[in-house]
Amino acid sequence: MKIPDPRTRPNLTDRDSLLRQRARAQAQGMVDLFHQIAADEIEDRLIEVNRSFTRIAIVTGFPDLWQARFPGARIVADDAVLELEPGAHDLVIHAMALHWADDPVGQIAQCRRALMPDGLFMGVAFGNQTLQELRGALAQAEAEVTGGLAPRILPMGEIRDLGGLLQRGGLALPVADLLSQRASYRDILHLAHDLRAMGEGNAMAARLRRPTSRAVFARAGAIMAEHHADRDDPSRVAVTFDLVFLTGWAPAENQQKPLRPGSAKTSLADALNQFRKNDE
């Protein structure tokens, strides 16, 4: 499979800014809650697979955190070109970095190439409903105060679109599922502080390069307080974080394969009629 040349694509992400933010977060005491939730979920899913994986690679921007959760795994950075050896791994995990990729299909395709036949790919990234409340509040506030809009929150993929990337990346038996979490903060500034401490600040290439006026943040904070108050404590604001989990397998001869369209031996109508007779 040919992987697109990253030099020919427009950049969504300012990679240098993203790396600085990640390094600052890890040096100053990272807020790693969602990484820990993601790692817990992946471990639970691996238990359900009921297979031992001995040659694991993890693609991530937070190596220390994921190395601690998967001792012995090979950790590689989520660069445009992944340092993965073809066919060397029985499990590749793309951990909390795919939402920053300029070419997510290319990332998955490279992970697929690094898998042995019937090897497992698992990915986890933030989904499109993440920070929807903050996104709307900032857009409304900026439009009211300045009359314009600037890119402030990374656009993230819907679960259906992210699931489609698995097949485009060459993986079989694709599955995508969603874990939605609500988080509560004192105010919009507390939320912004936590995002920086997660290494998830605004690192978009098209972001505004000058400071935003206090009036915009003040208005956005008022909108958040009015429309997105925490149900359990109305003095706080609540936002959504969606974690999308992706699973697919490197194709192999002995794998289960879906039936060809039209190859079923019993029609759906006959099956439903039989079900009704059994229920009578």
Side-chain angles (χ1 to χ4, degrees), residues 66-96:
W66 285 88
Q67 188 77 79
R69 294 300 297 261
F70 292 87
R74 172 173 167 74
I75 307 294
V76 301
D78 60 318
D79 296 326
V81 178
L82 303 177
E83 293 187 8
L84 292 173
E85 181 182 346
H89 300 283
D90 54 7
L91 171 63
V92 176
I93 300 170
H94 206 296
M96 297 296 287

Side-chain angles (χ1 to χ4, degrees), residues 15-92:
R15 183 71 180 171
D16 290 339
S17 176
L18 178 64
L19 294 178
R20 286 195 299 269
Q21 290 190 40
R22 288 173 172 176
R24 189 182 307 118
Q26 292 173 91
Q28 297 178 356
M30 180 180 170
V31 173
D32 63 0
L33 172 63
F34 292 105
H35 284 263
Q36 298 297 348
I37 291 173
D40 287 343
E41 289 289 323
I42 285 176
E43 288 178 341
D44 289 345
R45 285 163 167 76
L46 290 175
I47 291 172
E48 293 176 2
V49 170
N50 194 27
R51 181 188 296 188
S52 295
F53 296 96
T54 59
R55 304 181 68 178
I56 303 172
I58 301 178
V59 180
T60 183
F62 300 90
D64 293 342
L65 188 156
W66 285 88
Q67 188 77 79
R69 294 300 297 261
F70 292 87
R74 172 173 167 74
I75 307 294
V76 301
D78 60 318
D79 296 326
V81 178
L82 303 177
E83 293 187 8
L84 292 173
E85 181 182 346
H89 300 283
D90 54 7
L91 171 63
V92 176

